[in-house]
Structures are given as C-alpha cells and as structure tokens.
Amino acid sequence: MATDGGTWNNLPSVILLEVFKYLPRNDTISASSTCRQWRQNLYHGSLWRNLTFEINSHEEETASRNRFLTSCFARKLRSAVVKFDSLDPLCVEEAARIVRKLINNPDLRKLHLIPSNCRIELPDDERQKQLLERRGIQMLQKVATSLQMEELTLGCMEDITSYSKDLLSLLVENQSSTLRILGLATLKDDPDDYLLPEINGSLFQNFRHLQVLSMDYDNLDDQLLLALNNGQMKRLVVHVHGIADTHQHTSDAAWKSFSIANPSCELRLTLVHSYDAVGVLHNTILRPSMPLSHLRALFCEQINILALQKVSMWYANTLRSIYWVDSLQSAGTNTLVDLEEDSFTNGDHIIPNPLIMCAWRCFRLEEIVLLGYKLWETEVLAIFRLRPSLLHFDVWDGDILLDESETLESFQQDLSNEIGMRWEPMNDGNLNEVILNPHNGDSDEYVLPVVINDLLLA
C-alpha cells in the first residue's frame, strides 16, 4: 500500500467490515480506535445483529461496557441475550433498564433472558419494588404486542409464572405467525408449594411456525399435545416439579398422534427437586409413544429403577441422553449397588443394571451423567463396550467401586486403552459445589445452564 500512497485508514469499508466480523466484540471496539474511518465503521448495523449483555454489579468495567453498547447499538440488534445475577437487586434493575432499551427497537426478533437463579431479588423498598414489578409487566406486554418476535425465552424464572397466562394470550393475538421458539417452563424455589396458572392448551394451535416450546408439566395435557400437531415441532421441553392431585396427565394415544404429526420432534423431560414425581415416573408420566430423547432427574434424592427399565425398552430409537444427578452427601440418595438385591433380582433370575440395558438397546445414546450413585468398575466397562459411540459418561471417581486388586489409575488406563480414547471420571475439583454438598451451593447454578441450553436449536 505504501507504493501507491495508500494507508490503512483508506482501507475500503467493505473489506474492513469483513475483517471486523471475524473479531471478538472487545477486539472490534479496540480496533475502532485506530482512526476515524475505522471508528465510523464500528457503528455499521451488520456488525451488531447479535449481542450478549452480561450484568455484574461488582465490575464497573462491565457496567460501562453495557451502557456503551445499549446507547449505541440497542436499536440495531436483531438478537439479544441478557445474562444477569437475579439475586442482586442492582443487577435486576440494570437488566430491566437494558431490556427497556431493547424493546424500543422494532427490528428486534430474538430475546433471551438468562438469570443466575429461578428467583428474582427485588429492592427492599416497597415502592421501588412495586415500580419494578409494574415495569416488568409493561415490558412483557410491549414485547408481546409491539414486536414481531421469532424467539422469546424467559430464563425459567418462577416470578414470571403469575403473568404467563396473560402473556400467552397476547402472544397468540400478536405473534402467532412469527414465533418459532417460546420458553415458558420454570424452575421452582419450593417444588411442594408454588402457583399453578391455568393455561388453555388449545391456544398453542395458533402458533403456525412454532418449533421449540418449553412448558411445565403442570400445564401439559392431551389438549395441549393436540394443539401442537402443526407438523413444525422440533423440540418439546417439559419440566416436572410437583404433581397436583387434579392433574389429568397425558395419554399414550395423544403422544402417538403428536409423534406422527411431528416426526422430527424430540422430547426433553427434566425432573427438578421432584421428590414425589420421580417415584411415579414409570407409571404416571412416561408413555411408550413419547419421542423421548433426553431424560434428566436432577436433585430428586432417589433413583427409579422401574423407570429406567422402561426407558431402555420404550425409547431404544430415540433416547440420546440420561442425567441422574444428586448431591453426593444427600441423605435421601440411594445407590444402584444398594438396590441390587431388591430391584435387580427376580427369584433366581438376575435383572441387569438398567443403565447397562440402556447402553445396549438405545443405539442413539450419546451421553450418561450419573452423579451420587455408585457403580462397579465392571458396569462402567460394560456400558462403554455396549455403546462405544458414547460421547460423554460422567461419574464421580469416588462412586466407582473397584476390585481389591485394582486402583483407580490402573482401571482408568485400562478402560482408556480399550475404548481407544482418554476417559477420566469426575473429581472434586470439577464438580459443582452443590453436588459435593447440598449445603454449600445453590442447585440453580447447576440446573439452569442445562435447561436453558434446551431452548437453543443447533
């Protein structure tokens, strides 16, 4: 460029913009300080289609960055993710401020809220608390009525539940032709005591292009499944907490009709602190015609062997992932070994470990996460032998029962040699605090990232 008198500040905008697209956000902003032309190109709309806001009241630099980004680019975005500490009132207020800016952008099509916890901590001042609550409702109303949303997820926040019925009605009236992803499922702070909103399942038939939906099991019935027979569904996510005595549950006939109408749809079923529901999973919740791809039981404090047996038989063609996770020191946790005598024997006939049967029968199985339950080394080896395509098998090293002549290191090396790749069990250093001890952490820190990821289509 020096030969013809050219300089870096004369680089054509079309080339500069293409270079900027390959840079991380912070590097793009830093590069824009090179010269005036580069600075001007920083504000080009094509660079700011998608943006993630991370709100942390303890970092002033992060707050300054968010203020800069919202003032400059909030009206240019098409997709926004807002991550915030929902137990910090200052973060909640800042998140509300950013969302208010975002929803004034008529081109916004995707909004994902990602809190740190299922609860929202509001200021102690009653007047300020009521003001934030009113503004929250007003913002949801504006999102539902004034924008043409394609994706809307509410971060599994329980506080939104009280407004979900009205929100759904507004979305049906205004977003039925555009909405593709809708996240309404929640996590409950107290699984035995929570609000039960009455949602009319037939309303979902109005969403003509809906592909991903998350719902609480409390609102799932045959009417809702029938309403989703649009042929467009790719993923149905269901969260189970408690089960009301008046719940109608679902029939196998409804699931069969749903699966025929939506042949590409997968069901992700997650039980969270479902102390009662996990015990009746096999005969009350599971149905043979469910397109079950992911089954997760998180912090339910017991394992349901009968349910796992049915999973291995009913979902051989669909199952991809099993999570059964409890705190290692949970008083109510059983182990597969403890259950052998009662559940794995039938007279003289030995019933195989149901996880081994899942590994054998479920040919699409990619992932097993078993924390808080013990396995013999031979069972771990059997699972890998039967399902060599397994991508992830997470088990705590302290839960692997070894032969007296075996060490963990030698077993790990022998297993890695046999399966042709390096495998390591989980250890204390890479386990979440709440799994190590239920009193040392918040289960939301483990659960939320798992369930929020369910709403992301690859």
Side-chain angles (χ1 to χ4, degrees):
M1 293 184 70
T3 303
D4 59 8
T7 59
W8 280 105
N9 64 311
N10 290 329
L11 194 68
S13 293
V14 64
I15 296 177
L16 186 58
L17 288 172
E18 193 64 27
V19 172
F20 278 178
K21 289 178 183 178
Y22 287 94
L23 296 178
R25 293 294 187 202
N26 289 340
D27 290 347
T28 302
I29 295 173
S30 297
S32 70
S33 63
T34 302
C35 62
R36 180 178 297 176
Q37 190 211 1
W38 285 35
R39 185 69 171 179
Q40 290 173 342
N41 278 277
L42 173 68
Y43 298 94
H44 195 278
S46 64
L47 295 176
W48 302 100
R49 297 296 188 189
N50 312 296
L51 196 56
T52 296
F53 298 89
E54 297 191 26
I55 303 168
N56 185 336
S57 64
H58 303 295
E59 297 180 9
E60 180 58 33
E61 184 178 339
T62 300
S64 299
R65 176 182 181 272
N66 286 330
R67 284 193 288 269
F68 169 75
L69 292 175
T70 51
S71 63
C72 296
F73 308 117
R75 294 187 65 84
K76 300 177 184 290
L77 295 173
R78 291 183 64 85
S79 174
V81 176
V82 181
K83 298 181 178 180
F84 62 102
D85 183 351
S86 59
L87 297 183
D88 185 335
L90 293 177
C91 287
V92 173
E93 290 186 61
E94 179 65 8
R97 186 191 69 80
I98 290 175
V99 172
R100 284 201 303 274
K101 291 275 189 180
L102 292 172
I103 61 179
N104 286 321
N105 173 9
D107 294 324
L108 187 68
R109 296 291 179 266
K110 303 175 183 179
L111 178 60
H112 300 275
L113 304 181
I114 303 182
S116 62
N117 192 282
C118 68
R119 293 184 294 108
I120 299 177
E121 195 70 37
L122 296 176
D124 292 332
D125 183 87
E126 192 62 29
R127 292 177 59 186
Q128 194 174 4
K129 181 178 180 179
Q130 291 177 0
L131 177 62
L132 275 175
E133 289 176 341
R134 286 198 304 272
R135 285 180 175 175
I137 294 174
Q138 291 169 356
M139 285 189 291
L140 287 174
Q141 288 174 333
K142 186 163 186 176
V143 168
T145 58
S146 302
L147 303 177
Q148 296 299 306
M149 300 300 295
E150 296 174 4
E151 301 179 9
L152 176 62
T153 63
L154 303 177
C156 301
M157 290 181 285
E158 184 178 4
D159 300 80
I160 305 294
T161 303
S162 59
Y163 189 65
S164 57
K165 179 180 178 181
D166 295 332
L167 176 63
L168 180 61
S169 298
L170 290 175
L171 289 172
V172 167
E173 292 176 14
N174 301 280
Q175 315 279 351
S176 60
S177 63
T178 59
L179 207 57
R180 296 187 303 109
I181 297 178
L182 177 59
L184 296 178
T186 64
L187 295 179
K188 307 301 185 185
D189 189 49
D190 183 350
D192 295 321
D193 183 18
Y194 57 88
L195 183 67
L196 280 175
E198 296 180 5
I199 291 181
N200 183 356
S202 65
L203 291 177
F204 286 93
Q205 66 186 344
N206 296 284
F207 296 113
R208 298 191 291 275
H209 302 292
L210 193 62
Q211 297 179 354
V212 180
L213 172 66
S214 75
M215 293 288 298
D216 287 335
Y217 185 76
D218 305 287
N219 300 313
L220 184 66
D221 56 21
D222 286 2
Q223 183 184 45
L224 189 147
L225 290 175
L226 179 63
L228 293 175
N229 287 354
N230 59 10
Q232 302 290 319
M233 289 293 295
K234 301 296 183 186
R235 186 177 301 162
L236 178 59
V237 180
V238 178
H239 292 183
V240 183
H241 307 100
I243 300 182
D245 294 336
T246 56
H247 196 288
Q248 297 298 310
H249 303 294
T250 57
S251 67
D252 190 58
W255 281 109
K256 186 173 184 179
S257 175
F258 173 84
S259 298
I260 292 173
N262 300 283
S264 300
C265 186
E266 62 178 29
L267 170 66
R268 300 191 176 193
L269 184 67
T270 301
L271 291 78
V272 185
H273 295 293
S274 305
Y275 310 118
D276 295 327
V278 70
V280 296
L281 175 63
H282 60 289
N283 58 7
T284 300
I285 299 175
L286 294 180
R287 297 291 181 261
S289 297
M290 283 179 166
L292 185 67
S293 62
H294 294 63
L295 174 64
R296 305 189 185 104
L298 307 178
F299 306 104
C300 297
E301 298 190 354
Q302 63 172 303
I303 196 162
N304 187 328
I305 297 297
L306 294 176
L308 285 175
Q309 289 173 347
K310 289 190 174 181
V311 166
S312 72
M313 294 184 291
W314 287 350
Y315 312 115
N317 296 325
T318 60
L319 190 70
R320 292 170 46 206
S321 174
I322 298 174
Y323 274 58
W324 215 290
V325 175
D326 273 297
S327 297
L328 303 179
Q329 299 184 28
S330 173
T333 300
N334 294 312
T335 67
L336 291 175
V337 174
D338 291 339
L339 294 169
E340 277 189 3
E341 183 176 350
D342 294 331
S343 301
F344 291 171
T345 58
N346 183 8
D348 295 330
H349 177 62
I350 298 177
I351 301 174
N353 181 320
L355 277 182
I356 295 178
M357 298 307 292
C358 286
W360 176 43
R361 290 170 171 157
C362 303
F363 68 91
R364 298 184 64 193
L365 188 62
E366 303 170 341
E367 179 181 43
I368 297 176
V369 177
L370 184 72
L371 298 174
Y373 298 91
K374 298 185 183 297
L375 286 173
W376 287 104
E377 58 175 295
T378 52
E379 294 175 315
V380 175
L381 181 59
I383 288 172
F384 271 114
R385 284 176 172 171
L386 291 168
R387 190 54 49 200
S389 58
L390 203 63
L391 300 179
H392 299 285
F393 185 13
D394 289 343
V395 59
W396 180 51
D397 54 15
D399 278 339
I400 301 175
L401 301 177
L402 302 167
D403 186 86
E404 292 181 358
S405 61
E406 188 86 76
T407 66
L408 181 62
E409 291 74 17
S410 63
F411 168 69
Q412 180 182 324
Q413 185 61 52
D414 292 343
L415 178 58
S416 298
N417 291 338
E418 175 156 340
I419 65 178
M421 64 178 185
R422 178 73 174 172
W423 178 79
E424 295 182 0
M426 305 284 285
N427 57 53
D428 289 4
N430 51 28
L431 282 179
N432 188 283
E433 284 293 328
V434 74
I435 293 177
L436 290 171
N437 188 321
H439 303 295
N440 289 346
D442 189 331
S443 61
D444 280 5
E445 295 175 3
Y446 181 87
V447 176
L448 266 173
V450 174
V451 297
I452 286 177
N453 189 61
D454 283 340
L455 295 169
L456 305 178
L457 274 179

